[in-house]
Amino acid sequence: MHNAQFCGAIGRLMSPQEVYAATLSRSDIPSDIKHEWFLCGGIPEAMWDALRDGTGGVGFRLSAFTAPEDTGYVCFTVQILHSQARFLLPLGSERVEWFLKEASLCGLHLSVARNNGDSAIVRKFGVAPSDVIAVLELAQRCRDLTGQDLITDFVFAVAAIGRTATIPSIFEGVAVSDVQVIVVPPQ
């Protein structure tokens, strides 16, 4: 058994307009996904290779939680074998609310880079509208993060989501041993 590991990276939430502008000159990207919301971030090489090769199965989970002072977070977790990539977004902003509404209708698009490099894999995950509605209801009770929240509350949320036990394994009988937290700061 190997020791649990936690790594962190900064991610980005891209609106359909931002995706379109960034991919306008790229003919290798299908037109139908150029008008969707995307969560973007880097994952470790071994996880990226397994996702690209389709080895080990891929699982997905949506989680949400609140913290003191009326702040809340949503976490989109992708698991491959014993490794999880967790995209953490603070709730409370209009931008995240629009993203969640679209995800409930169109699914969730992820663009993950290998070790934060240029090679990216685009993957779409279906999200049950009932799951997103529950998160939207939570989001409407949360306030947007302010400058001080980024120093206190958000830092604690990142540390909590980085613990392997925080989000259970998606696969029965497979323990989570590696966690990559992709923090998507408020925009």
Side-chain angles (χ1 to χ4, degrees):
M1 173 175 258
H2 68 321
N3 295 327
Q5 293 186 54
F6 159 69
C7 297
I10 300 293
R12 182 174 177 197
L13 175 61
M14 293 181 72
S15 71
Q17 297 82 5
E18 292 168 324
V19 171
Y20 183 75
T23 61
L24 187 58
S25 64
R26 303 241 345 236
S27 61
D28 60 324
I29 297 175
S31 297
D32 60 329
I33 66 170
K34 289 184 177 186
H35 303 283
E36 303 287 343
W37 284 87
F38 271 83
L39 274 176
C40 307
I43 60 176
E45 186 173 339
M47 192 175 186
W48 192 90
D49 290 343
L51 182 61
R52 180 199 59 206
D53 298 340
T55 56
V58 177
F60 175 78
R61 173 174 283 145
L62 172 66
S63 309
F65 59 95
T66 57
E69 308 299 324
D70 297 322
T71 57
Y73 301 89
V74 61
C75 185
F76 298 92
T77 302
V78 176
Q79 183 171 332
I80 301 169
L81 301 171
H82 60 272
S83 298
Q84 288 184 346
R86 301 173 181 171
F87 288 81
L88 180 68
L89 288 85
L91 294 173
S93 75
E94 193 174 297
R95 181 177 173 86
V96 171
E97 201 169 318
W98 277 109
F99 164 64
L100 290 169
K101 287 176 183 175
E102 290 294 319
S104 72
L105 301 173
C106 305
L108 170 69
H109 289 86
L110 296 179
S111 177
V112 291
R114 181 181 189 183
N115 288 335
N116 292 314
D118 291 335
S119 298
I121 296 173
V122 171
R123 190 75 188 256
K124 182 177 180 178
F125 294 92
V127 181
S130 59
D131 292 344
V132 176
I133 288 169
V135 176
L136 275 169
E137 289 171 359
L138 176 67
Q140 291 167 351
R141 295 190 311 266
C142 295
R143 64 179 176 80
D144 206 0
L145 294 179
T146 62
Q148 183 62 36
D149 296 324
L150 291 174
I151 297 167
T152 56
D153 191 80
F154 198 42
V155 170
F156 289 117
V158 171
I161 210 72
R163 291 192 293 267
T164 56
T166 301
I167 307 243
S169 178
I170 295 167
F171 305 120
E172 191 173 324
V174 176
V176 175
S177 60
D178 300 301
V179 173
Q180 171 77 4
V181 176
I182 298 108
V183 176
V184 181
Q187 299 175 342

